Amino acid sequence: MLNLKATITAGILIVFLMNPVISEAQSQEWEPADNPLVTRWAADIDPNGPLPEYPRPQMERSEWKNLNGMWDYAIIPALESEPKSWDGKILVPFSAESALSGVKKRVGPDNKLWYKKEFSIPSSWSGQRLMLHFGAVDWRTEVWVNGVKVGNHEGGYTGFSIDISRAIIRDENQEIIVAVWDPTDDGFQPRGKQVRNPQSIWYTPTTGIWQTVWMEPVPDMAIKDLRMTPEINEEYLSLKVKGTEDVRGYTVKAEAYANGNKAGEVEGGLNESLKLPVSDMKLWSPEEPFLYDLKVSLYHNGTKIDQVESYFGMREVRIGKAEDGFVRLFLNDEPIFHYGLLDQGFWPGGIYTAPTDEALKYDIEVTKDLGFNMIRKHVKVEPARWYYWADKIGVLVWQDMPNEDRHIGVGEKDINRVAQSSRNFKKEYKEMIDQFYNHPSIITWVPFNEGWGQFQTKEIAALTKELDSSRIINSVSGWQDRGVSDMHDIHSYPGPDMPETEEDRAAILGEFGGEALVVEGHLWINDFSKAPSHYETSQSKEELFQTYEDLLTRLIELRQKGLAGAVYTQTTDVESEVNGIMTYDREVIKFDREFLKELHERVINKYKIP
């Protein structure tokens, strides 16, 4: 077992020596727990402000305050109203079950996880409303400020904001208390691969705060949200600016910039559909992921009262028949074969939370560098900065909805969910689509995976199209197709295989491969005989290379028969699974880079779709 405390303590010492602002007492406050594996980025964590980057890149304000860092915590029975004492310190935003939190304790459905932190408000924020933001908290959250209950939220993957102005005490330190209950796999809420008894393809749970907590001042009337839809044929961005209050008397101005030069501007009213022209339009694609900067200003009677910075990409996606007669996936009116990785988004130290922004970016960079052009984000929703990096680096993203409830087998009907289960799914599914709508990298929504929680399939497909008609819909990845949406998606291990081609849907191989290779010294479970792989295991790198090349040779043959896209399992090893392109600690890429890039060039580019 690696000594995680020693490794990270050394990193903290380096940070301390380089940054005298961090006191010795502060640096000693954080003591991460021992863990089987650690990534190299764990040593870069500053316990006084982990993940310091602005957490909402598509609506950024200049004034804000990060509340990540050391909080008090307590785990007490769920029916108790509040802690009588605190158990110690937890490093937010790492979950209680993670080593990087310093706690590494299971919470479970019988308990609640409580947090407490004191914070101050800059004097320059006086007279403005104060918004408290949570990137994500799993699952049911209640929030108090200075003893006043200010809000609550249900949902483990979507962000929420609370106006805490009424609870603020002038000229004093403020206190925030958060209580979280999460039944994990003993409830009716979206939870993805989290289980209380991790094994095989099921992993360690996350309870509580797992994304950045932050606050910002806003005027009484402020910009609340942006809705951006590129219209490449007409060369404009459809833009709607939403406000927090009554819209009368307020106007907005939006300005687009390309490499610092103004590319277009538009003025209009709040909640109106505006057409922002884009001169000399540059399209976004994996080959050239061009992003425009966007400045949006809010005016009242000619006076600017609010401003946010953002960005957008001009691209269009659809399905359609290519010249070879098969239904293909189109990007910017050109057919493109999608080939990517199944990406679970788990980390050995932080579980759901990457240790740093550089770590968060790394998986995407490696995926792109190895010649893949797509990532299927598997039954997990990432922080907004992950999608920012996907936008900026240039990968296509198929976004899964985290699943829950029971599975159906092949040939079975959709399940009948109880009202609470149906409500939880639809509420968070709508929130996910709404919150990540503006990212050009996301091109497909995937509500169901392998019959897991699959219900009202036709209705959910219709709901998805109603919420977002600008993207491709893959209503069911694997197992139980219902003949709806834009894709017919099957899974085949090791495969590859494909469904029969159709006149109005793309044929997709949503998962295949899963070839495993054990890399000693980089295992979550060191005695691997106690955790056999769920997939086929190669005995050597040479065997793995040959097996993978054989798989892709057959994949190219299927592509020529009409296959429109494929997803290989998977980006990294995860806990007891060892079928990743990389080890779980991201230290070893199991394949030769040039070998993969040449193979993927054959799959994606050299055999171009007519």
Side-chain angles (χ1 to χ4, degrees):
M1 177 180 291
L2 295 174
N3 189 331
L4 178 60
K5 291 181 184 178
T7 303
I8 296 178
T9 300
I12 294 172
L13 179 59
I14 293 171
V15 172
F16 171 71
L17 292 173
M18 295 176 64
N19 185 1
V21 174
I22 302 175
S23 71
E24 181 179 1
Q26 287 174 319
S27 66
Q28 291 176 348
E29 238 183 342
W30 179 49
E31 193 169 294
D34 285 330
N35 216 41
L37 285 179
V38 59
T39 67
R40 58 187 177 275
W41 298 280
D44 297 330
I45 295 173
D46 175 2
N48 298 287
L51 297 170
E53 296 79 13
Y54 194 88
R56 192 182 58 195
Q58 284 194 308
M59 207 178 91
E60 184 172 349
R61 287 189 173 91
S62 58
E63 293 283 335
W64 72 293
K65 185 172 185 176
N66 195 322
L67 295 180
N68 291 344
M70 303 305 301
W71 294 45
D72 295 318
Y73 87 95
I75 300 173
I76 64 174
L79 296 180
E80 292 187 12
S81 59
E82 61 183 274
K84 295 181 175 60
S85 61
W86 297 90
D87 296 346
K89 297 289 185 179
I90 185 170
L91 184 61
V92 169
F94 300 102
S95 71
E97 293 87 351
S98 73
L100 294 183
S101 72
V103 176
K104 201 179 178 182
K105 294 179 182 177
R106 296 292 177 84
V107 179
D110 297 329
N111 297 312
K112 276 186 179 179
L113 173 60
W114 290 74
Y115 299 83
K116 182 178 73 171
K117 183 179 180 64
E118 290 189 355
F119 65 94
S120 61
I121 301 172
S123 58
S124 61
W125 293 7
S126 178
Q128 301 185 78
R129 293 165 64 181
L130 190 62
M131 300 300 298
L132 177 65
H133 303 284
F134 293 85
V137 185
D138 198 1
W139 172 69
R140 179 182 293 159
T141 309
E142 300 171 275
V143 184
W144 294 262
V145 173
N146 297 325
V148 178
K149 187 170 184 178
V150 292
N152 55 269
H153 181 259
E154 289 184 354
Y157 297 93
T158 52
F160 59 99
S161 303
I162 303 171
D163 185 342
I164 62 173
S165 307
R166 64 187 175 90
I168 296 302
I169 301 174
R170 188 187 298 270
D171 300 327
E172 292 187 25
N173 277 343
Q174 319 296 321
E175 180 188 75
I176 178 174
I177 290 179
V178 179
V180 186
W181 177 70
D182 179 21
T184 309
D185 54 344
D186 191 32
F188 290 115
Q189 82 291 343
R191 47 97 175 172
K193 289 291 191 80
Q194 305 178 73
V195 294
R196 289 170 292 164
N197 181 29
Q199 57 182 314
S200 184
I201 63 171
W202 309 102
Y203 317 134
T204 302
T206 285
T207 299
I209 299 169
W210 67 274
Q211 291 186 28
T212 293
V213 185
W214 54 291
M215 60 182 182
E216 64 178 347
V218 299
D220 287 339
M221 181 60 181
I223 298 169
K224 182 179 181 180
D225 194 16
L226 305 175
R227 179 88 164 185
M228 297 181 278
T229 307
E231 300 288 349
I232 68 169
N233 294 325
E234 303 298 326
E235 299 190 6
Y236 71 84
L237 180 76
S238 177
L239 173 67
K240 182 177 286 188
V241 182
K242 300 179 183 179
T244 54
E245 300 292 345
D246 192 305
V247 300
R248 289 174 295 181
Y250 295 87
T251 58
V252 296
K253 180 180 180 181
E255 301 165 279
Y257 293 87
N259 298 322
N261 300 312
K262 184 174 285 189
E265 68 175 67
V266 66
E267 296 185 26
L270 279 169
N271 294 324
E272 292 181 3
S273 293
L274 307 177
K275 293 182 178 181
L276 174 60
V278 180
S279 61
D280 299 321
M281 185 178 64
K282 299 177 177 64
L283 296 176
W284 183 97
S285 70
E287 294 76 24
E288 296 184 32
F290 188 87
L291 297 174
Y292 289 87
D293 294 317
L294 179 66
K295 181 189 298 183
V296 180
S297 304
L298 176 64
Y299 294 85
H300 183 244
N301 295 329
T303 301
K304 183 191 293 186
I305 60 172
D306 194 16
Q307 179 176 295
V308 297
E309 306 284 339
S310 187
Y311 70 87
F312 63 92
M314 295 298 290
R315 65 97 183 95
E316 182 244 14
V317 297
R318 61 178 175 87
I319 63 168
K321 274 197 176 180
E323 291 180 8
D324 62 0
F326 295 114
V327 176
R328 300 292 186 180
L329 307 175
F330 280 68
L331 174 67
N332 303 331
D333 289 327
E334 295 289 338
I336 179 174
F337 189 83
H338 290 204
Y339 183 55
L341 290 171
L342 192 75
D343 193 315
Q344 311 272 7
F346 273 72
W347 295 85
I351 308 176
Y352 257 15
T353 310
T356 67
D357 196 54
E358 282 297 314
L360 191 71
K361 177 174 67 170
Y362 179 77
D363 287 0
I364 304 172
E365 287 180 318
V366 169
T367 301
K368 182 74 177 290
D369 187 49
L370 294 178
F372 298 96
N373 65 0
M374 176 262 283
I375 294 171
R376 181 181 167 203
K377 179 51 65 174
H378 191 41
V379 294
K380 184 198 177 189
V381 182
E382 293 287 358
R385 289 196 64 85
W386 188 92
Y387 302 96
Y388 162 74
W389 286 120
D391 296 340
K392 194 171 182 63
I393 293 168
V395 292
L396 305 168
V397 176
W398 297 10
Q399 179 60 53
D400 286 12
M401 173 64 185
N403 296 137
E404 86 283 8
D405 217 309
R406 69 178 182 87
H407 290 71
I408 59 173
V410 176
E412 293 184 353
K413 297 180 179 179
D414 285 9
I415 66 173
N416 292 314
R417 294 197 186 206
V418 299
Q420 179 188 3
S421 177
S422 174
R423 181 189 67 85
N424 289 344
F425 178 92
K426 291 178 180 178
K427 172 183 177 293
E428 196 155 6
Y429 187 51
K430 291 176 182 178
E431 288 180 356
M432 178 187 76
I433 292 175
D434 184 57
Q435 291 181 17
F436 297 96
Y437 178 91
N438 293 331
H439 290 280
S441 59
I442 298 177
I443 56 93
T444 300
W445 300 116
V446 188
F448 298 120
N449 174 71
E450 292 188 346
W452 184 7
Q454 189 175 337
F455 80 115
Q456 299 178 359
T457 306
K458 292 182 179 180
E459 290 86 344
I460 297 299
L463 172 64
T464 309
K465 187 63 72 174
E466 178 185 336
L467 293 170
D468 184 1
S469 62
S470 71
R471 287 183 171 89
I472 297 167
I473 302 171
N474 183 6
S475 62
V476 179
S477 185
W479 290 15
Q480 203 55 60
D481 180 61
R482 301 299 187 207
V484 296
S485 77
D486 300 313
M487 297 180 178
H488 182 181
D489 178 328
I490 68 166
H491 295 177
S492 178
Y493 285 104
D497 202 350
M498 65 179 286
E500 291 185 7
T501 58
E502 302 177 36
E503 286 296 307
D504 57 356
R505 291 200 299 165
I508 298 295
L509 178 56
E511 293 181 28
F512 82 107
E515 296 295 329
L517 178 68
V518 176
V519 182
E520 297 292 344
H522 300 274
L523 299 173
W524 180 259
I525 299 174
N526 284 303
D527 185 356
F528 193 71
S529 64
K530 295 180 181 178
S533 171
H534 186 68
Y535 303 99
E536 293 192 351
T537 303
S538 299
Q539 300 304 312
S540 66
K541 270 196 172 185
E542 292 74 21
E543 184 180 342
L544 178 64
F545 286 16
Q546 186 60 58
T547 301
Y548 188 76
E549 186 172 21
D550 291 345
L551 287 173
L552 264 63
T553 298
R554 298 202 300 273
L555 188 70
I556 291 170
E557 295 172 357
L558 294 176
R559 172 183 164 156
Q560 293 168 337
K561 295 178 181 178
L563 184 68
V567 182
Y568 183 81
T569 302
Q570 60 187 337
T571 306
T572 71
D573 296 347
V574 185
E575 299 194 358
S576 63
E577 286 191 283
V578 290
N579 56 332
I581 294 288
M582 293 185 282
T583 54
Y584 195 19
D585 59 5
R586 278 75 167 173
E587 284 300 308
V588 179
I589 298 175
K590 299 179 186 180
F591 291 86
D592 177 77
R593 289 175 185 257
E594 293 307 314
F595 168 79
L596 280 192
K597 290 176 75 171
E598 192 279 331
L599 274 179
H600 298 160
E601 177 75 12
R602 288 169 54 197
V603 173
I604 296 171
N605 296 320
K606 284 189 177 178
Y607 292 83
K608 287 192 178 294
I609 298 167

